[in-house]
Amino acid sequence: MKVKLLFLSLILLIAVTVTSAKDVFYPVSEIAANLLTDANSVVRTSETTLEIFSKTKIRYSIKEVITIFNENGEGEGVLFIPYDSNSEVDIKVANFYDKEGELIKKVKKSEVYDQTMFDGFSMYTDGRFKRITPQISTYPYTVEYECTIEQKGAIDFYNWMPCDAYNKSIVYASYKILDYEDEGIRIKPNKLVNTVKNGELVDDVKTYLWELENMEALEHEPLTVSMVNFVPRVVVAPLTFEFYGTKGSMDSWKAFGDWVYSLIEDRNDLPEDRVQFLKELTASADDPVEKIKLVYELLQKNTRYVSIQLGIGGFQPFPAQKVEEVGYGDCKALTNYMKSMLQSIGIESFYTLVKAGANSGEIDVDFPSQNFNHVILTVPVESDTIFLECTSQFSPFGFQGSFTSERSALLIDKNNSRLIQTKNYGLNENTWKMKASILVNESGHAVVNDTVEFNGLQYESIERDLRKTHEDIIEDAYKTSNIPGANYRTIAYENRPERIPSATRTRLLEVDRFATKMGDRMFVPVNILNKHSSVPKKTSDRKFPFKTRLSYQDEDCVTFVIPEGYEIEYLPEPVKIETEFGAYQSELKHSQNSIVYTRRSVKNRGVFPPEKYADYVEFTRKVVDADSQKMILKKK
């Protein structure tokens, strides 16, 4: 009897223990201390598997568990998966846990946000996205996601870069590729990657595996180069592919260009009446460049940009005749249309893929892949080359701007596609030239008249103002003004939209308390109109290279009219600075009742090693100090 009671008690104890225990997953206490330093988020595990069954059947399986520590890391906890008619997404697990690892919420499939990929300008798209955004205000918390993405073919594969943000540490991450039919893939890991398997046969499947463990969070450094240069990364692309019924190869840039050419071939026909019109339009122009310009201006006047992203249409333009009918198109269609119009008057041009964006980073010229997001037109003329941005109704003829300049691009030519370099805007083209007069009265107020000529990439800073009303320009001047006490009276522009564009801005403004009065002295700033005022943050142990993004030179000449009854007591000494980062020179000279301030500032574009960062900070500090000087006037 005692035995039975003891056995019954044991059963009851086990039952109570089982029913009261809670499932605990990924408690924050398990994270190593070194991974918490400077971390807004910590990747507990990130496991991605790419299965290549054939050229037309591809599956990604993804598991990610990430702990979010503060609002700066919230973006890492959002699940965002774009897809289209070529792919299917299945979110299998979406759970949220608290600090102790206890379940907060299990997201149902009906709660997943699923919407058309609306970008504000696409008229036609089959792009969609699924998104889950945790609505959790108590930190830290942990998200757990598992999903699969199936594709019916691809021209590119997922590139692995588990550390893709600053202040993000990683406990464990892996990328596995299973190539069942040995379809052939191209792989380029950098030196920081730990390769576990590199094409070995595992259960008769060609297998690749890379792993990353215990990577501490990186702190952002000022002016840093792209992260792709200093974190573990594996770039992957197919050797050959099938995509929406087309076949292509990534074996070389020429081979990839052949595929693109097949998409645009025979899409250049225009109605005969349009061809005749173009011939008449350009008949009186003897210079080929003038003919090209006339056609380009016609394009700008009669078409507008609308994004078209439907199936293969994400890569293939619709025919030139269609653009002629509807008057709109995306970058592909408008570029092909411009190419077709030039072809109709006997001028050869080339459809050209480019990775656009002011800070988009370069493509890897040694690894052919689909890493482009835009199309422009390349037009060779004699010993020159004109690049045309066909999506803008306002861009000056032949001006690329920082959006597509100074980078490699893929020129599409039948059996001869190749990488080329787009326009490089240099030091002597990106200029600012200012002449100004500043009339200071005895109260320290000033009337300023200044005229500035913007050239090259500096033109971009005022390009939008050229299309605004005077009222809007004045309103925006107040919003962006860095001149304390400025009252803007008039601002006018003269635009010269050439291939190296320039524009002249003329302003009249009054500045309250321009000079500071102390007793019988007046302290007058030498530079309020083009002043460097910020110095990059110092870093005691710089780890990565830094980059200056624009070569330019500024020239200023400002005449100060001394108020009646005052004389010069002190003028700052001339300043001259010369470094590999740039140069600076300024001086003041006086004559009777005026003082002439001249200044020349030069910045060089380049990438510099981390050990030179302190020198760059010192150079910038000296420039800021020189621009902040004041002269002293004294009452007679």
Side-chain angles (χ1 to χ4, degrees):
M1 190 66 179
K2 288 182 179 179
V3 174
K4 288 183 179 180
L5 287 173
L6 180 62
F7 180 73
L8 181 60
S9 298
L10 184 60
I11 293 296
L12 290 172
L13 177 62
I14 292 172
V16 169
T17 302
V18 170
T19 57
S20 63
K22 295 181 178 179
D23 291 332
V24 175
F25 299 91
Y26 312 107
V28 173
S29 59
E30 291 183 351
I31 302 174
N34 65 308
L35 298 182
L36 297 175
T37 304
D38 299 323
N40 296 328
S41 63
V42 176
V43 176
R44 314 294 292 276
T45 187
S46 174
E47 302 167 45
T48 300
T49 300
L50 165 61
E51 297 176 278
I52 305 171
F53 300 100
S54 68
K55 291 183 177 65
T56 56
K57 185 178 180 181
I58 296 161
R59 180 170 64 210
Y60 292 95
S61 301
I62 302 166
K63 177 180 180 180
E64 285 200 331
V65 180
I66 305 173
T67 298
I68 312 303
F69 282 91
N70 52 53
E71 62 182 9
N72 294 323
E74 281 186 349
E76 296 299 321
V78 175
L79 180 68
F80 180 88
I81 306 176
Y83 68 101
D84 56 22
S85 58
N86 190 55
S87 55
E88 293 182 4
V89 175
D90 183 13
I91 299 175
K92 300 178 181 299
V93 175
N95 296 330
F96 306 148
Y97 303 94
D98 68 10
K99 177 180 180 180
E100 307 302 330
E102 296 183 3
L103 182 67
I104 299 173
K105 180 178 176 60
K106 185 184 293 286
V107 180
K108 300 176 183 177
K109 289 193 175 185
S110 61
E111 297 175 308
V112 176
Y113 193 73
D114 190 338
Q115 185 177 316
T116 298
M117 187 78 74
F118 178 70
D119 52 21
F121 50 79
S122 293
M123 180 174 287
Y124 305 113
T125 178
D126 62 357
R128 299 187 64 85
F129 66 87
K130 293 190 177 186
R131 185 179 69 200
I132 299 174
T133 303
Q135 303 292 331
I136 303 173
S137 57
T138 303
Y139 303 101
Y141 63 86
T142 297
V143 300
E144 176 188 28
Y145 299 121
E146 291 185 30
C147 63
T148 60
I149 304 168
E150 297 198 4
Q151 296 180 333
K152 304 170 188 175
I155 62 172
D156 55 3
F157 292 143
Y158 169 71
N159 293 330
W160 189 59
M161 194 173 87
C163 181
D164 57 359
Y166 293 100
N167 304 103
K168 175 181 178 178
S169 58
I170 297 171
V171 177
Y172 175 79
S174 68
Y175 185 27
K176 180 187 286 186
I177 300 177
L178 303 174
D179 188 1
Y180 290 95
E181 298 296 329
D182 195 8
E183 290 287 351
I185 55 177
R186 297 163 44 252
I187 299 168
K188 187 177 182 179
N190 67 16
K191 296 178 182 178
L192 301 171
V193 170
N194 175 34
T195 302
V196 181
K197 291 182 173 61
N198 190 24
E200 294 100 306
L201 289 178
V202 178
D203 296 330
D204 294 326
V205 178
K206 201 167 190 178
T207 303
Y208 304 82
L209 175 63
W210 301 273
E211 292 182 329
L212 177 65
E213 295 183 88
N214 299 317
M215 180 174 178
E216 297 179 3
L218 299 175
E219 278 281 284
H220 181 266
E221 296 179 334
L223 304 176
T224 189
V225 298
S226 172
M227 288 188 79
V228 301
N229 295 284
F230 51 78
V231 297
R233 183 170 183 251
V234 179
V235 182
V236 185
L239 180 62
T240 58
F241 59 87
E242 293 184 24
F243 191 65
Y244 284 99
T246 68
K247 295 182 179 182
S249 170
M250 288 281 188
D251 180 59
S252 65
W253 288 116
K254 176 189 173 300
F256 180 52
D258 288 343
W259 177 72
V260 177
Y261 184 83
S262 72
L263 300 181
I264 66 173
E265 190 176 19
D266 300 326
R267 302 178 83 81
N268 297 120
D269 291 339
L270 289 171
E272 186 55 41
D273 59 342
R274 172 55 62 169
V275 173
Q276 187 59 37
F277 173 80
L278 292 168
K279 289 179 178 178
E280 292 173 359
L281 175 70
T282 58
S284 61
D286 296 326
D287 183 3
V289 174
E290 184 61 28
K291 290 178 183 284
I292 298 165
K293 186 176 182 182
L294 287 169
V295 177
Y296 182 70
E297 290 172 348
L298 182 71
L299 172 83
Q300 290 184 304
K301 182 180 179 181
N302 294 329
T303 64
R304 60 190 175 91
Y305 174 76
V306 173
S307 179
I308 311 293
Q309 306 295 333
L310 290 171
I312 192 69
F315 296 91
Q316 184 178 50
F318 53 62
Q321 186 161 338
K322 183 67 174 179
V323 180
E324 173 71 21
E325 293 171 3
V326 299
Y328 60 77
D330 59 11
C331 63
K332 303 179 295 296
L334 294 176
T335 298
N336 183 63
Y337 181 55
M338 181 66 192
K339 171 180 165 63
S340 304
M341 288 195 292
L342 291 180
Q343 179 179 300
S344 72
I345 59 171
I347 295 177
E348 185 178 43
S349 61
F350 298 93
Y351 189 88
T352 303
L353 308 186
V354 65
K355 187 177 182 181
N359 300 312
S360 64
E362 266 285 359
I363 64 167
D364 187 342
V365 298
D366 298 321
F367 192 85
S369 63
Q370 165 41 34
N371 199 21
F372 304 101
N373 60 7
H374 192 51
V375 180
I376 59 176
L377 191 66
T378 302
V379 192
V381 285
E382 297 181 355
S383 59
D384 196 4
T385 301
I386 299 172
F387 296 99
L388 296 178
E389 173 54 65
C390 298
T391 63
S392 171
Q393 294 174 306
F394 307 102
S395 182
F397 169 72
F399 178 58
Q400 289 186 269
S402 57
F403 191 58
T404 59
S405 65
E406 302 179 24
R407 67 200 70 197
S408 298
L410 182 60
L411 181 146
I412 306 303
D413 188 10
K414 185 176 184 180
N415 298 322
N416 190 31
S417 296
R418 57 201 181 273
L419 289 180
I420 60 170
Q421 287 295 122
T422 60
K423 168 71 178 175
N424 181 11
Y425 295 94
L427 189 67
N428 295 324
E429 294 168 315
N430 304 325
T431 61
W432 152 302
K433 297 178 181 179
M434 180 178 70
K435 285 190 176 182
S437 67
I438 300 178
L439 176 63
V440 186
N441 68 20
E442 62 277 5
S443 300
H445 301 322
V447 176
V448 179
N449 283 277
D450 70 350
T451 300
V452 180
E453 183 182 289
F454 302 83
N455 295 282
L457 295 182
Q458 297 223 49
Y459 173 91
E460 291 185 313
S461 66
I462 49 89
E463 191 171 9
R464 290 187 178 182
D465 288 343
L466 301 174
R467 304 193 293 273
K468 296 177 182 176
T469 65
H470 183 258
E471 290 76 14
D472 287 340
I473 292 172
I474 294 291
E475 182 180 345
D476 290 344
Y478 280 107
K479 292 177 181 178
T480 60
S481 177
N482 56 3
I483 304 175
N487 298 296
Y488 294 91
R489 302 307 184 201
T490 61
I491 303 176
Y493 287 95
E494 180 187 342
N495 188 22
R496 294 176 293 279
E498 306 297 333
R499 288 177 62 186
I500 305 295
S502 67
T504 300
R505 183 191 68 196
T506 304
R507 299 187 304 184
L508 170 63
L509 58 148
E510 298 175 9
V511 184
D512 297 332
R513 296 179 297 280
F514 170 76
T516 303
K517 294 188 68 176
M518 296 182 65
D520 60 355
R521 288 178 171 81
M522 186 181 291
F523 296 82
V524 182
V526 300
N527 186 1
I528 65 163
L529 300 177
N530 189 21
K531 179 181 179 180
H532 284 284
S533 57
S534 63
V535 179
K537 182 181 177 181
K538 289 184 178 180
T539 53
S540 57
D541 184 25
R542 179 93 193 191
K543 294 181 175 63
F544 307 116
F546 64 99
K547 183 176 184 178
T548 54
R549 301 186 183 278
L550 176 65
S551 294
Y552 69 87
Q553 59 177 319
D554 293 355
E555 295 179 3
D556 303 321
C557 181
V558 182
T559 300
F560 293 87
V561 179
I562 301 171
E564 189 173 344
Y566 280 81
E567 62 184 1
I568 299 168
E569 181 177 68
Y570 166 77
L571 291 180
E573 293 294 321
V575 177
K576 187 173 184 179
I577 310 167
E578 292 186 2
T579 72
E580 63 184 305
F581 315 113
Y584 178 95
Q585 188 170 350
S586 67
E587 66 175 334
L588 292 110
K589 293 182 178 180
H590 66 88
S591 174
Q592 296 180 346
N593 70 328
S594 66
I595 301 167
V596 178
Y597 169 68
T598 56
R599 173 184 179 274
R600 183 173 183 267
S601 178
V602 174
K603 270 290 188 70
N604 296 327
R605 181 176 184 262
V607 177
F608 304 93
E611 57 269 20
K612 291 190 176 183
Y613 182 70
D615 294 335
Y616 178 76
V617 172
E618 180 63 14
F619 163 64
T620 307
R621 185 193 63 77
K622 288 179 179 179
V623 171
V624 169
D625 288 347
D627 278 355
S628 301
Q629 293 187 102
K630 293 183 178 182
M631 52 188 168
I632 304 174
L633 306 180
K634 185 178 180 182
K635 219 168 192 179
K636 294 180 182 178

